[in-house]
Amino acid sequence: MIKIEQNTTLFASIEQKISGKNNQFSEILAKVEQFKKDLEEPGPLRLAFKLNMDKIKEKIEEKRAELAEIFEVAKLSGDEKARTIASIEEMLEAYKKQLLEQMQAAKELEDEKQAQKSPSSKVDVMRAFAFLDTKNATQNKAQNKQDELLKSLL
């Protein structure tokens, strides 16, 4: 009789594990189906753009929380808090611009790589290096502006 109870408990445990795995599988399947739907409706380019913009928004929110903690916004009040928040928003706008430029540069580099793979296209290496130098200079300027804003607030 004890063995039957132990087996029943064992079977119940196995059934729960299988049920849990089925639920996980169902959730994953639903996410895949949603991704497929998102891919079909707006098209792959728009979906890629949307996903990139979502990543940028996420990074900006992380940076906002980080800056709010650094500048101890919660402890401030009145005009000081408003000025600090305005400065943080300026920094975030510069950060967003930098992220967009990085995204554009990555896309253009990927386009260049694709062009290299096709036998009929010619790649001007000097033009690619000039492009990278320009992007790096722009990113450095944006970073310097952020640094200056940080220093002025501290």
Side-chain angles (χ1 to χ4, degrees), residues 52-68:
N52 285 335
M53 292 308 291
D54 289 346
K55 286 180 191 176
I56 287 174
K57 287 178 185 176
E58 185 178 310
K59 286 183 177 186
I60 288 173
E61 289 307 314
E62 289 172 2
K63 184 65 84 172
R64 179 177 279 119
E66 180 184 327
L67 291 173

Side-chain angles (χ1 to χ4, degrees), residues 125-144:
V125 175
M126 294 305 288
R127 188 177 64 147
F129 283 127
F131 169 77
L132 290 174
D133 287 341
T134 303
K135 289 296 178 185
N136 287 337
T138 303
Q139 290 172 356
N140 288 338
K141 285 180 186 177
Q143 186 63 43
N144 289 340

Side-chain angles (χ1 to χ4, degrees), residues 20-37:
K21 295 290 182 185
N22 283 340
N23 287 340
Q24 288 176 341
F25 179 73
S26 296
E27 290 173 12
I28 292 171
L29 187 59
K31 288 179 182 178
V32 169
E33 287 298 322
Q34 183 61 44
F35 179 78
K36 182 180 174 187
K37 182 180 175 186

